[in-house]
Each structure stands twice: as structure tokens, then as C-alpha cells.
Amino acid sequence: MRAAVVVFPGSNCDRDALRAAELAGFDVRFVWHKESAVDGFDLIVLPGGFSFGDYLRTGAIARWSPIMSDVVRQAERGVMVLGICNGFQILTEAGLLPGVLLRNKGLLFLSEDVALRVENASTAFTSAYKRGQTIRLPIAHGDGNYYVDAEGLKRLEGEGRVVFRYADEPPNGALNGIAGIINERGNVLGMMPHPERHCEDILGSHDGKGVFESLMKDGVPK
Amino acid sequence: MPKFNVSVTVMFRPNILDPQGAAVERALKNQAGLASGVSISNVRVGKVISMTVEGSDERGVQERVKAIADRILANPVMEQYSVEVLEESAK
């Protein structure tokens, strides 16, 4: 199984993502955002960070990087795409996931561990977890307040596409406590918390490694 | 080719929470001395993007900039925008 971690100027969780995917058994490569193709991978990770300094809007400029037209093409082919934090923001800007990440309700940048409930454990990203299981992952963002219009929310909730939800009051104000969502086809997932930062006990927890282990087992294009 | 000074004003949609605007509004209201006799409400913070665009006429430039704003400068899920086009005075 091969994984690509796309690196944008300002990405800062790219090495963590590479390490987490390697630990799960992936053969991982970095792919620079100026490349025109990201071909031959089973998983494409858009890592966290502050691509292009969050100028204009978070993810708004990265979305127009040369690599992104092929990321969209690969997603349409069924390749697994995981967007973490800034990666999630880029996926919404690119139209691969609905909604948008607004400024945190309290305006502060939040860096803390939060409790998350796994709402859907039958995705290729979460099969290693149990439905309803609570895990703890770090968040580190200024714009994580998920918003989507009423119709979009109804679809996400009705179709079981809210995959992760803040177990307590959402620290960033996210609608319905949404922390992570998946696309209709089930191959594109975006989440604000950082599973790649909690994959080894030496770093305090391995609650996040289930994401990469699930993908290793079930992340095969169908 | 004539040049036009264009400014695009991007604001959050009315139904989108603007915590920055709310914080500014609170600050204004707390300055009772400065704002006395003035009633302030609906404070919103947005951004202005200005640029020079070459084109044959104002209407064409307006259309081109709108197309850019729709795709890049504003995210329609949360924002709306307005475009102002002024022909640069001949020098």
C-alpha cells in the first residue's frame, strides 16, 4: 500500500503524517504541491499546517496549487484522501467535502486534547474503532468551526457522514459538534483533530493510529 | 488598453457568525465616552481586495472580476462580495 503526503508551503504536520502512515505499514512519499500528478497511490494525505500563511481564507490558495487538480481526479477515481486540519480546510475549498471551517467561535487559537466520539466505524478510515467509542486527539487550529447550510447538515447527519464528533461542548463552536466528515462515496475524509500526532505511546497516546490502520486494511479503492 | 481600479469587498453572509465583528462592537460600546450619543449596532468585519485590471470597458472588467471573485476571492458558503470598478484617470 502506497501513500502520498502532499507538502504545501506552510505545511507543518507533513512529517508527522508520513511517520504515522509508515507505522501503519504504508510505503510513504512526500509530493510537492507544484507537481502535476500524484499517481499510483492508495492514499493521499493533505496534512495540517498553515498553507500559504492562511492568506485570503484557510486553504483557499492551496486549493489552486497545481497538484490539486490531480488530487480531485484521484478522489473521483476512488483513491482514499485524508485531510487533517488545514487539509480538511483545503478539501472544503476544493469542493471535495461540503461546508466550510469558520473562525473559532471564541476567536482564540485552540491547542488542546479533546474527546471525540467515533460516530461511524464502518468507513475505510475508522474500521479499527468501535461505533460510539470515545478517543482523545489533539486539536490545534484557529479556524475549526464547522459550518454547512441546513440542507447540507441534514444530508450529512442523515447519511451517517459525520464520522467524528466532539464528545463535549465543541471548543470551536462547530455545528452539531462536527469534528470530521466523509464524502458520499466514502473515500474522502476531513477532520480537524490530529490523529497523526497520537500514534505512539512515547507521544502520550496511540488513539489516532486507528485511522491509519483502518486505511491500511480497508483503504483499497472499490 | 484602458486600466481600471477595482475593489472587491468581501463580507460574511448575514447568517454567518462574525466573532471579530462582535468583539469590535463590544469594544465600541464599552467606550461610552467616545460613542456617547451614537447608537452602534451590526458591526461586521470584512476585507477589501484592490487591483488594477486592464480591459476595454467597465462592464467587461466587472464581469471578469466577478468570475474571479466567485471562484477565488470569496467562498460562497460563508461570504458575499461586491465589486466596484473605476476607470483610472488619464495621466
Side-chain angles (χ1 to χ4, degrees):
Chain A
M1 294 281 277
R2 301 188 70 221
V5 176
V6 179
V7 183
F8 298 93
S11 294
N12 66 9
C13 300
D14 41 343
R15 296 195 70 85
D16 307 57
L18 178 127
R19 167 85 179 165
E22 270 182 358
L23 283 172
F26 281 95
D27 174 17
V28 197
R29 295 280 182 278
F30 285 131
V31 177
W32 182 234
H33 77 116
K34 293 270 196 187
E35 297 290 329
S36 56
V38 54
D39 215 7
F41 293 98
D42 305 287
L43 167 67
I44 299 169
V45 182
L46 303 187
F50 300 86
S51 59
F52 297 92
D54 281 350
Y55 292 169
L56 194 60
R57 298 177 303 277
T58 56
I61 296 180
R63 178 263 172 278
W64 297 100
S65 275
I67 196 72
M68 284 306 295
S69 48
D70 201 46
V71 170
V72 171
R73 200 156 38 234
Q74 300 297 340
E76 283 164 357
R77 285 183 52 220
V79 171
M80 298 294 149
V81 179
L82 170 63
I84 301 166
C85 197
N86 189 222
F88 184 12
Q89 295 160 341
I90 296 169
L91 289 175
T92 62
E93 281 285 340
L96 286 173
L97 289 173
V100 72
L101 283 312
L102 300 173
R103 177 65 44 88
N104 292 343
K105 197 175 170 193
L107 282 170
L108 293 176
F109 186 95
L110 298 168
S111 179
E112 60 197 45
D113 283 3
V114 296
L116 295 171
R117 199 164 56 243
V118 180
E119 297 281 36
N120 184 344
S122 44
T123 79
F125 298 81
T126 51
S127 56
Y129 298 107
K130 288 190 182 64
R131 181 161 185 261
Q133 184 182 346
T134 301
I135 59 174
R136 287 190 77 80
L137 291 181
I139 56 167
H141 60 246
D143 301 73
N145 179 358
Y146 184 78
Y147 170 81
V148 68
D149 63 22
E151 194 188 327
L153 182 66
K154 204 171 146 193
R155 283 197 62 192
L156 285 177
E157 294 286 3
E159 294 167 8
R161 287 163 53 198
V162 176
V163 176
F164 295 105
R165 203 186 303 270
Y166 300 105
D168 307 312
E169 184 69 18
N172 47 26
L175 193 61
N176 282 23
I178 291 172
I181 58 170
I182 197 164
N183 68 340
E184 211 170 358
R185 184 171 174 175
N187 68 315
V188 179
L189 181 132
M191 60 192 298
M192 287 314 296
H194 288 271
E196 82 285 12
R197 293 190 187 178
H198 271 188
C199 285
E200 297 174 78
D201 288 331
I202 195 171
L203 297 177
S205 163
H206 60 253
D207 277 8
K209 73 177 185 180
V211 171
F212 299 92
E213 288 177 352
S214 301
L215 285 163
M216 190 65 195
K217 191 161 68 74
D218 295 321
V220 185
K222 289 179 186 88
Chain B
M1 190 80 91
K3 285 183 175 172
F4 295 85
N5 292 324
V6 179
S7 54
V8 181
T9 304
V10 181
M11 301 294 295
F12 285 119
R13 290 185 174 280
N15 60 321
I16 297 288
L17 178 77
D18 175 12
Q20 193 177 179
V24 172
E25 182 166 327
R26 273 194 303 278
L28 291 175
K29 286 181 171 165
N30 288 339
Q31 301 303 313
L34 281 175
S36 67
V38 191
S39 168
I40 296 173
S41 58
N42 297 322
V43 177
R44 311 279 285 174
V45 177
K47 55 194 157 196
V48 178
I49 299 142
S50 71
M51 60 191 102
T52 304
V53 181
E54 286 187 23
S56 48
D57 62 85
E58 191 180 314
R59 204 169 145 194
V61 169
Q62 178 98 18
E63 291 308 307
R64 294 284 296 278
V65 173
K66 275 190 173 169
I68 293 168
D70 276 330
R71 296 196 72 190
I72 303 179
L73 299 181
N75 181 338
V77 179
M78 60 171 172
E79 293 165 331
Q80 54 194 21
Y81 66 88
S82 59
V83 179
E84 195 183 348
V85 180
L86 286 176
E87 186 163 3
E88 209 172 66
S89 51
K91 288 191 179 108

